[in-house]
Amino acid sequence: MSTNLFTPIKLGSTELKNRIIMAPLTRARAGADRVPNELMVKYYEQRADAGMILTEATAITPSAVGYANTPGIWSQEQIEGWHKITNAVHAKGSKIFMQLWHVGRISHSSFLNGQSPVAPSAIRPEGHVSLVRPITNYEVPRALETEEVKAIVKNYRQAAINAMEAGFDGVEIHAANGYLIDQFLQDSTNKRDDIYGGSIENRTRFLLEITDQLIEVWGADRVGVHLAPRCDSHDMGDSNPLALFGHVVEELNKRKIAFIFTRDPLDNDSLFPKLKEKYDGVLIANQKFTKITAEKALEDKIADAISFGVPFIANPDLVVRLAKDAPLNEPVFETFYGPDHVGYTDYPTLKDLS
């Protein structure tokens, strides 16, 4: 029997009703207090036809933030806000994992009570701080001391404990897109000479220490890792991405985690099919997939599930639309990070249009 997007799958110990995964999508609706609210409950509930939802990136501590109005998971109020979301998603028969986030150097002192952003090395990224006006360059980050790195590992552990209290089905480590863990992985941003720098083994140490801590909290079958092997976000780069991410995947495979998520479009430069060869668990592929290319990837066994991002923003009933080969709503990019329901919970479903 052939596998398609609507075939159930077991991801670690979690049974999914289909192989359509909602990607983590920063939407900046949590407000200045960074507490999940009723508007966010509605947004996630609308999209719970997905086999699994990965939450928007969620800061593990106040010092981990780099954008306005993104949610956190360090306070009791945040835990309670997220619990309303997990209850709503579970009531519709879907699963939801929290994506844990530290932005590292992709921040600004204005978000950090005047403190400098931190990073593995004091290398300023090119580009501008997101949505800050007037246009503001990124700052030179402060290189973390070795003991500070170890303290952040513990922060991830506590965030994972908080996510469990909030009713999640598991956690995903955000190790992609040029944020803190990715900054440790790639040699253009990691120039350290301690145990967290230099060799591939040392540069992957931070991610693997976090992974081991989260496995202690959740069990390996409830932990996933998000990777971006294309090295194409936030002024990143590595001299040998295949060797780096191949080693990461081999180490994660030894730990038998629930899944690896790769943001890596399917083209001649794709690394994720090669990474899939090194991994025995569920590989979730993401970026610019259509129904046709998604089902071809499943058929060719280069991925086990497919994650959609922007299509889920504009189509709360994306699963139904894919099943019926129905046309998709067009996303309105100007409202991706707006302050209210506009462009967030007001996209029409097929039922609305009938």
Side-chain angles (χ1 to χ4, degrees):
M1 183 176 175
S2 63
T3 297
N4 62 31
L5 286 169
F6 308 97
T7 307
I9 186 172
K10 190 171 185 181
L11 184 149
S13 58
T14 305
E15 301 274 357
L16 306 188
K17 58 189 178 184
N18 59 54
R19 295 170 187 241
I20 299 169
I21 312 300
M22 180 172 158
L25 297 160
T26 292
R27 303 305 309 278
R29 294 315 202 277
D33 58 3
R34 302 187 184 274
V35 174
N37 50 48
E38 293 300 325
L39 186 62
M40 291 172 62
V41 174
K42 181 177 181 180
Y43 168 78
Y44 281 104
E45 183 179 34
Q46 286 177 333
R47 289 155 179 78
D49 287 336
M52 180 174 71
I53 291 173
L54 296 169
T55 70
E56 60 206 276
T58 302
I60 59 171
T61 60
S63 59
V65 305
Y67 300 79
N69 304 319
T70 54
I73 188 61
W74 63 80
S75 74
Q76 193 61 40
E77 292 77 16
Q78 291 165 339
I79 292 169
E80 291 167 4
W82 279 117
H83 213 312
K84 294 177 182 177
I85 291 171
T86 59
N87 285 343
V89 169
H90 290 151
K92 288 189 66 174
S94 187
K95 306 296 183 182
I96 182 166
F97 276 49
M98 169 167 278
Q99 188 185 64
L100 301 176
W101 191 32
H102 192 310
V103 303
R105 68 179 189 162
I106 306 302
S107 189
H108 189 267
S109 54
S110 61
F111 292 121
L112 304 170
N113 293 320
Q115 298 296 307
S116 296
V118 297
S121 302
I123 301 171
R124 185 182 72 83
E126 293 295 321
H128 306 113
V129 185
S130 178
L131 302 179
V132 170
R133 295 295 180 269
I135 291 175
T136 302
N137 290 334
Y138 288 114
E139 299 166 313
V140 176
R142 180 178 65 79
L144 288 159
E145 300 291 339
T146 302
E147 291 308 310
E148 290 181 295
V149 179
K150 295 179 181 298
I152 292 174
V153 173
K154 293 179 181 177
N155 291 339
Y156 273 94
R157 180 188 180 96
Q158 184 59 52
I161 292 169
N162 294 350
M164 183 176 285
E165 185 180 344
F168 284 91
D169 297 294
V171 288
E172 186 197 49
I173 302 167
H174 195 346
N177 301 354
Y179 297 118
L180 184 62
I181 298 173
D182 208 15
Q183 293 159 30
F184 272 86
L185 292 176
Q186 298 188 39
D187 58 17
S188 68
T189 47
N190 185 341
K191 305 296 185 183
R192 301 176 70 88
D193 57 8
D194 66 354
I195 61 171
Y196 294 103
S199 67
I200 286 176
E201 289 76 14
N202 279 358
R203 285 184 277 126
T204 57
R205 188 187 305 274
F206 182 47
L207 168 60
L208 296 176
E209 287 183 350
I210 293 166
T211 304
D212 290 341
Q213 287 293 309
L214 270 53
I215 288 171
E216 284 189 14
V217 173
W218 276 95
D221 56 357
R222 300 278 181 175
V223 174
V225 173
H226 195 104
L227 301 173
R230 195 66 68 97
C231 309
D232 58 355
S233 294
H234 289 128
D235 196 26
M236 298 299 295
D238 190 80
S239 58
N240 194 337
L242 183 57
L244 169 63
F245 288 100
H247 177 74
V248 169
V249 169
E250 287 171 353
E251 287 297 318
L252 295 174
N253 193 53
K254 292 176 187 176
R255 288 160 171 80
K256 302 187 187 313
I257 63 169
F259 67 90
I260 291 174
F261 180 115
T262 58
R263 188 187 62 75
D264 185 16
L266 183 57
D267 58 29
N268 293 333
D269 296 321
S270 300
L271 289 182
F272 78 85
K274 298 181 179 70
L275 300 179
K276 169 69 173 158
E277 295 171 5
K278 299 174 180 288
Y279 184 57
D280 299 323
V282 171
L283 186 135
I284 302 170
N286 165 258
Q287 199 168 33
K288 298 182 180 178
F289 279 90
T290 65
K291 181 180 179 180
I292 292 171
T293 60
E295 299 212 315
K296 182 71 161 57
L298 297 179
E299 181 183 327
D300 292 344
K301 301 188 186 305
I302 59 174
D304 302 293
I306 306 295
S307 178
F308 297 89
V310 171
F312 259 119
I313 289 177
N315 299 274
D317 58 343
L318 179 64
V319 174
V320 172
R321 289 174 186 258
L322 292 174
K324 295 183 175 182
D325 292 315
L328 302 184
N329 296 324
E330 289 296 321
V332 180
F333 293 94
E334 293 79 12
T335 59
F336 275 15
Y337 309 110
D340 53 27
H341 72 284
V342 177
Y344 189 58
T345 57
D346 63 348
Y347 282 103
T349 65
L350 288 178
K351 286 183 179 179
D352 296 331
L353 297 171
S354 62

